[in-house]
């Protein structure tokens, strides 16, 4: 079985222009109870992540982590940023892959 990085799957899918997210490996600040116990820190981390998302100019943010999508998506929605959040599985299920 061959493994492929999720970004490679998106990049090879027709109709998708992949834009790498700056600081993609930095946490969005959700982390389960972390967001409840450390509200100010969580919101600061979310703000940083949303700034990175908006700086890309992307219309859609894709992730394989539903918690991150919920946290970032909620923040973007409250700001009326116009950026949709979509799980990686949804994108792969609705695109024609050149990888197959």
């Amino acid at each position: 079985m061959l493994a492929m990085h999720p970004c490679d799957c998106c990049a090879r899918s027709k109709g998708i222009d992949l834009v790498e997210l700056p600081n993609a490996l930095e946490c969005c600040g959700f982390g389960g109870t972390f967001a409840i116990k450390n509200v100010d820190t969580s919101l600061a981390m979310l703000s940083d992540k949303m700034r990175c998302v908006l700086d890309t100019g992307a219309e859609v943010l894709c992730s394989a982590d539903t918690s991150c999508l919920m946290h970032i998506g909620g923040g973007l929605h409250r700001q009326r940023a116009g950026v949709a959040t979509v799980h990686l599985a949804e994108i792969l299920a609705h695109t024609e892959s050149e990888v197959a």
Side-chain angles (χ1 to χ4, degrees):
M1 180 175 167
L2 296 175
M4 183 176 282
H5 191 277
C7 288
D8 292 338
C9 290
C10 284
R12 294 181 182 203
S13 296
K14 294 178 183 177
I16 293 179
D17 294 323
L18 182 66
V19 178
E20 290 288 335
L21 180 66
N23 303 317
L25 297 179
E26 289 184 15
C27 180
C28 71
F30 185 70
T33 59
F34 178 86
I36 296 169
K37 294 180 179 180
N38 304 285
V39 175
D40 293 337
T41 303
S42 175
L43 291 175
M45 293 170 76
L46 174 61
S47 179
D48 290 345
K49 185 61 75 172
M50 289 190 308
R51 188 175 321 107
C52 288
V53 171
L54 295 173
D55 286 349
T56 68
E59 298 172 6
V60 177
L61 171 68
C62 172
S63 176
D65 188 305
T66 53
S67 297
C68 294
L69 286 173
M70 181 180 69
H71 190 53
I72 299 166
L76 292 169
H77 177 75
R78 286 188 296 278
Q79 287 189 353
R80 293 181 167 86
V83 178
T85 53
V86 180
H87 194 278
L88 173 64
E90 292 179 84
I91 289 179
L92 295 178
H94 292 96
T95 59
E96 293 182 37
S97 178
E98 297 175 353
V99 177

